[in-house]
Amino acid sequence: MTDTSESEWYLVQCKPRQDERAELNLANQSLLCFRPLHKVERIRHGKRVLLDEPLFPGYLFVSLRKDDPCWATIRSTRGVNRLVSFAGQPARVDDSIIQSIHQRLQPQVKPAFQAGQRVRITEGPFRELEAIFLRADGSERAILLLSLLQRQHQLRLPWQAIAKH
């Protein structure tokens, strides 16, 4: 692996829809790569699924030292189109930008609800109604107890559809 103490980040443009291939082939050359991915909800075969999609489709970052012998081989790496350059010089990406991207991609912590806590529904047909939090239903949903028409009903709602009361 490249010594990161003297390394700098550079931007690589990949061939169309070959980001993953380029990343794999660069990593096989012992280069440190960073291809930021974020979760996106899509409908596949009638079901909602969470997919990892590139934050910058067609691009990835690679860490290199100025004296690294891999400079010459990057352009001929499968999946790579070119190093992004200005005036014939590869464009360096500041470390603070890479760190900022890493931080922004960290999973967001969901608010902790306690069993029996009153919550407010913020989305859907029950919007603005009060309910009682019962428990989490996996990492994406919560089970609530809603009093409606003098009966209590259990609802499963996504985390983003509830808020503290």
Side-chain angles (χ1 to χ4, degrees), residues 12-47:
V12 173
Q13 182 182 28
C14 304
K15 292 181 179 173
R17 291 178 297 285
Q18 293 191 29
D19 313 15
E20 193 171 346
R21 181 182 199 184
E23 180 183 28
L24 178 66
N25 288 320
L26 289 168
N28 285 340
Q29 296 174 46
S30 298
L31 292 172
L32 179 61
C33 297
F34 175 47
R35 186 170 61 101
L37 301 173
H38 68 289
K39 297 255 185 229
V40 178
E41 191 175 84
R42 299 277 185 226
I43 304 293
R44 295 273 193 242
H45 307 292
K47 293 184 179 181

Side-chain angles (χ1 to χ4, degrees), residues 3 7 54 67 73 77 96 109 114 137 142 156:
D3 178 16
S7 299
D67 64 343
T73 62
T77 301
S96 64
V109 177
Q114 300 295 323
D137 184 22
R156 282 182 173 77

Side-chain angles (χ1 to χ4, degrees), residues 139-157:
S139 63
E140 296 179 26
R141 296 189 177 270
I143 298 178
L144 307 178
L145 190 62
L146 177 68
S147 292
L148 192 62
L149 300 174
Q150 299 177 349
R151 293 190 68 194
Q152 294 186 335
H153 305 274
Q154 282 191 10
L155 295 176
R156 282 182 173 77
L157 294 175

Side-chain angles (χ1 to χ4, degrees), residues 2-13:
T2 304
D3 178 16
T4 58
S5 62
E6 303 170 20
S7 299
E8 294 180 325
W9 289 99
Y10 296 90
L11 186 60
V12 173
Q13 182 182 28

